Structure formats: structure tokens, C-alpha cells
Amino acid sequence: KTDAESLACEIEKAFTFRPRPLSLNFDGGAASSAIISKLLTQSIPPADWLEPVRRALQNRNRPVKVFFRNDDAGVENERLFHLLGVFENFAVPLDIAVIPKAVSTEFAEKLRERISRSHGLFNLHQHGYSHVNHERENRKCEFGPARNKRHQFEDIAKGQKILATLFDGLTQPIFTPPWNRCLSETVAAL
């Protein structure tokens, strides 16, 4: 066959091609929480997948600082409260990034109560304003090129006001942009 005939044959095959079904798990938050719970509660044998990490940590002459952050508080909150239980059980601090527009009064009350019982384990900070993508193309971004400094400043300020009202001084002066993306205009607005 000539190259043209081979190409025509492959095109014909493509018309009947059906990809095999793909099963995707969109339940990452719950799955991560379950994995962490399982790892923390089981006795891990020395020859497991975590052994290289354990060896690297044992060979360090300085402590390793880690930081745990949970994003998107205000959405699927029962999972958050389950995660808080895991961190409480092991007395491990967790910073909670809260979406101001997603927070209900009931959720704020329940979270305030949980924080007050946590003996300083949990802290709150602002996670954007409404966690909405404003970009028409490229990667998702709430505080990106589609919005000028004034609009970004207004959203940040409204978010701070919501959190101050709902959490009565419990929020830290930290801002995490959704999708961890922002511009120098966002920094100037902050």
C-alpha cells in the first residue's frame, strides 16, 4: 500500500473506534481523608512504600517543617469535620482555608465551636472570595488577568468582612487564592 492508502485505511478504522470506558473517581477529598486515617492508625511494616521517606527523614540532621492546609471550607463541610476529627485524634495542627461566599451562618457556628474545643490546633484564613473562575481562556483563576486591581481589592475586602463577622476574630491575616494562582495586582490589593 502507498502512504495515502495506509492513511485512508487508518482513517476508516478511526470511524469505528470506541474508546474503552474509563472510570474516574471524583471523590478525592473523602478518599484522601480515608487514606490518611488508615495510614495513621495502622502499623506500617518497614518494607512498605513509605520506607524511602522514612530513611530520608532519619538521615536529616535538622527537623522537617510541614504545613497542613485544607482548602474550600464552606463546601462539602461534613468531609471537613471528618478531617478535623483525624487531625484532632493525632493532635496535628491544620489550617483551614475558608471561601467567604460559601459559608453559611450554621457552618460558621459549628466550625467556631469545633475550633474553640481544639486547643489551638485549627486556624482559619481567607480562600479567595467565591472560588469562581473569571478567566475565559487558559487556566482557572479567580484573581487573574480578567479582573483589575480594584475588583480584586473589593472582593478581598468583602471576603474579609464576611469572615470577620462570621468568625469573630478567629481568622488569620492570610490569603490563599483559589487554584493557588494570582497576579502582582492581587498582591498590591492585599
Side-chain angles (χ1 to χ4, degrees):
K1 292 183 178 180
T2 66
D3 287 342
E5 288 173 329
S6 295
L7 177 61
C9 186
E10 292 302 315
I11 291 172
E12 288 289 327
K13 286 181 192 174
F15 287 122
T16 60
F17 172 76
R18 297 291 176 258
R20 95 183 154 195
L22 182 62
S23 175
L24 297 176
N25 180 355
F26 292 102
D27 204 16
S32 296
S33 179
I35 290 167
I36 291 169
S37 293
K38 184 178 177 184
L39 287 174
L40 292 174
T41 58
Q42 70 184 13
S43 173
I44 303 173
D48 75 315
W49 63 272
L50 203 51
E51 188 57 30
V53 175
R54 208 177 271 120
R55 271 196 317 273
L57 292 174
Q58 287 172 345
N59 292 333
R60 286 186 57 87
N61 57 6
R62 293 179 297 171
V64 175
K65 295 180 181 181
V66 294
F67 173 79
F68 294 101
R69 179 183 89 202
N70 177 79
D71 286 357
D72 303 342
V75 179
E76 298 190 26
N77 298 318
E78 288 311 310
R79 291 180 179 169
L80 169 63
F81 287 109
H82 175 74
L83 184 66
L84 295 180
V86 171
F87 276 75
E88 280 175 323
N89 286 341
F90 293 94
V92 175
L94 177 68
D95 207 72
I96 305 164
V98 182
I99 304 168
K101 282 289 280 186
V103 177
S104 69
T105 305
E106 296 79 21
F107 167 71
E109 186 177 315
K110 192 174 176 182
L111 188 55
R112 276 195 320 267
E113 180 184 316
R114 191 68 174 264
I115 289 170
S116 70
R117 291 185 291 137
S118 76
H119 307 292
L121 283 179
F122 307 135
N123 290 296
L124 304 174
H125 73 270
Q126 185 173 347
H127 187 41
Y129 176 60
S130 58
H131 208 303
V132 172
N133 176 29
H134 293 286
E135 299 305 309
R136 287 198 161 90
E137 51 189 45
N138 299 322
R139 300 186 320 169
K140 292 180 178 182
C141 194
E142 184 173 11
F143 292 86
R147 306 184 70 235
N148 65 32
K149 178 182 165 188
R150 182 177 61 83
H151 289 124
Q152 292 188 34
F153 176 82
E154 289 169 356
D155 277 1
I156 292 167
K158 286 187 288 188
Q160 285 178 338
K161 187 174 182 178
I162 290 169
L163 295 181
T165 301
L166 291 173
F167 293 105
D168 194 28
L170 289 175
T171 54
Q172 306 252 327
I174 299 169
F175 180 84
T176 299
W179 300 287
N180 297 315
R181 295 184 195 110
C182 65
L183 303 172
S184 57
E185 286 84 354
T186 314
V187 176
L190 287 166

